[in-house]
Amino acid sequence: KKFHSLPARGSVADLAFSADASRLAVARNKQPPLRSQAIKKAEGKSFAIDPVGANLVEVYRHSQGRLQAKPEKLLAHRSIVSSVAWIGSDLLSGSWDRSVQLWNTIPRSHTVQPLHYKHIVRDLAVGPGGVFAVASWAASQDHPAISVSKLLY
C-alpha cells in the first residue's frame, strides 16, 4: 500500500529513515549522478561542480505513513550528494565533493567541520557506537577505497 509520494524534483541518489522512523533523509540532486570522463579527470584535483543548493539533503518528518509537505533543507555540498546515513539524531551525508558532512537535526545545525577524502564519496555505512565507514571511488589500487572512522563527540 502506497501512503505518500515525494515530489518529483531532480534525482534521488539515496534514502535513509532514522532509527525511530520519524524522519526520512533524501540525497537529492539537480540531475542524475553520472560518473563521466570529466568527473574521472577532476578526481585528481579539487573541484566544485555545482553551487551550494543544487545538491542537497532534505529531511522529511514522517508520521503514520505520511511525510510532511515541506522538508528541512541541509545545504553544504558542492557536488552530487551520493549517500545519507543516520547516527541517532545526527545525520551523515557523503558527496562527490569528497566530503562527509555531519548534521545535528534536532535542532538543525552543522555540528563539525566536514571530513575530507582523497576521492569522491560513494557510500556510507553506520555501525554501533558512532562507527561509520566511507566508500569512495579510488583512482587505483594504491589508494584505499574504504575508510572506517569513529565520531568523537
Side-chain angles (χ1 to χ4, degrees), residues 85-149:
W86 291 94
I87 298 181
S89 65
D90 293 335
L91 179 65
L92 292 170
S93 59
S95 172
W96 286 19
D97 65 8
R98 299 189 204 133
S99 74
V100 172
Q101 302 281 344
L102 174 65
W103 306 90
N104 183 325
T105 60
I106 306 172
R108 184 176 69 112
S109 66
H110 203 196
T111 57
V112 296
Q113 291 295 320
L115 304 170
H116 295 281
Y117 294 87
K118 187 169 179 134
H119 302 286
I120 59 180
V121 175
R122 185 179 57 80
D123 201 6
L124 297 168
V126 174
V131 174
F132 67 96
V134 175
S136 60
W137 273 306
S140 72
Q141 291 184 358
D142 297 334
H143 302 286
I146 298 175
S147 168
V148 178
S149 304

Side-chain angles (χ1 to χ4, degrees), residues 13 17 36 41 45 57-58 60 64 68 78 90 93 100-101 106 108 128 144-145 153:
F17 270 109
S36 66
K41 279 184 182 177
K45 43 190 148 162
V57 177
E58 296 175 329
Y60 291 86
Q64 300 174 342
Q68 72 184 31
R78 303 278 304 181
D90 293 335
S93 59
V100 172
Q101 302 281 344
I106 306 172
R108 184 176 69 112
Y153 61 117

Side-chain angles (χ1 to χ4, degrees), residues 18-89:
S18 59
D20 64 0
S22 67
R23 289 164 293 156
L24 175 66
V26 177
R28 189 179 296 275
N29 300 290
K30 169 174 83 170
Q31 56 192 351
L34 300 173
R35 193 163 182 249
S36 66
Q37 289 299 324
I39 293 292
K40 289 178 187 178
K41 279 184 182 177
E43 279 185 29
K45 43 190 148 162
S46 182
F47 72 101
I49 295 175
D50 297 313
V52 172
N55 304 294
L56 68 148
V57 177
E58 296 175 329
V59 178
Y60 291 86
R61 299 242 177 248
H62 175 257
S63 177
Q64 300 174 342
R66 306 261 329 146
L67 297 174
Q68 72 184 31
K70 191 170 182 177
E72 294 177 59
K73 294 182 179 185
L74 307 178
L75 306 167
H77 290 295
R78 303 278 304 181
S79 187
I80 302 290
V81 180
S82 55
S83 54
V84 288
W86 291 94
I87 298 181
S89 65

